[in-house]
Amino acid sequence: MTNFTTDMNSRSSTLTIRMRGYFQTEQFSDLFEDSLKDIQNGKPLIVLLDARFIKSGWMSANPWLVSWFLPKIALLKVKHFGVIIEEDCDPFTRFSVINLESLLENEPSLKINLFESPEEAVIWGRDLLKAA
């Protein structure tokens, strides 16, 4: 069973994408594409992917994320992108994040920020808003 939700917090200007379960590459990219409507409507400065409960890797979707999704959200004025993973997360998720970081090294659109807890991500978001 899979679960995909988005939650917009207008106080923190953060849209959180929560995913749980097994996702095929096409399903992964289709759901992210659908989340663009929420990003366009909510106008967040920060997008967080809560990947702690994904039970499949998404490495094959990473080129699409880098070349299509991240530039699109940058056009929608998103300034920061973060991923929440736990130290003992699914190994395929860990490899997917490492691959995504590698692909983004030379990409000017957005830098990926990794967090090992939602609390860490909240502190990061608060610090970003204070600095803005």
Side-chain angles (χ1 to χ4, degrees), residues 29-96:
S29 52
D30 286 348
L31 291 167
F32 267 77
E33 196 169 328
D34 288 346
S35 74
L36 287 174
K37 294 174 197 138
D38 296 326
I39 294 169
Q40 191 169 19
N41 292 334
K43 299 181 182 1
L45 295 176
I46 301 165
V47 171
L48 280 174
L49 168 60
D50 187 344
R52 294 175 297 154
F53 306 108
I54 297 176
K55 298 297 180 197
S56 57
W58 67 81
M59 196 176 313
S60 56
N62 280 345
W64 175 85
L65 277 170
V66 171
S67 67
W68 196 87
F69 182 76
L70 293 178
K72 286 278 191 223
I73 67 173
L75 286 173
L76 293 172
K77 310 281 193 247
V78 172
K79 303 290 184 205
H80 307 280
F81 182 73
V83 179
I84 304 169
I85 58 171
E86 292 180 327
E87 189 174 321
D88 61 346
C89 70
D90 179 85
F92 294 110
T93 296
R94 173 81 56 195
F95 293 137
S96 296

